[in-house]
Amino acid sequence: MRKFHLEISEPSVIAQAKPDERKWGQFQFPKILKMENGGFYVYWDHGTDDHDYAFTVKSAVSDDGKVW
């Protein structure tokens, strides 16, 4: 059995709605990948929460998980 160490810190905001935005569902299905250089690549669907579900894919990259 392989042993590993997992350390989780306080959450870090990657993307956030505008303060006056009251719609639900703008940020959907986030995925996070660890890059070969140790950084992180995060991407998610961004769109309206309705029957058409028209969306675009947004992303963010961080070298250290703290600065995006």
Side-chain angles (χ1 to χ4, degrees), residues 15-50:
Q16 182 172 318
K18 297 174 188 174
D20 61 341
E21 188 171 29
R22 300 285 183 226
K23 296 178 183 177
W24 178 86
Q26 296 295 305
F27 303 90
Q28 306 257 350
F29 312 111
K31 298 144 194 94
I32 185 167
L33 304 170
K34 186 141 185 168
M35 299 186 305
E36 288 183 10
N37 69 355
F40 298 95
Y41 175 73
V42 178
Y43 63 103
W44 61 93
D45 297 346
H46 184 262
T48 58
D49 185 37
D50 58 23

Side-chain angles (χ1 to χ4, degrees), residues 7 12-13 17 19 23 27 30 32 35-36 38 40 43 47 49 51 55 57 63-65 67:
E7 187 173 324
S12 186
V13 176
K23 296 178 183 177
F27 303 90
I32 185 167
M35 299 186 305
E36 288 183 10
F40 298 95
Y43 63 103
D49 185 37
H51 67 282
F55 68 91
V57 176
D63 290 329
D64 59 8
V67 179

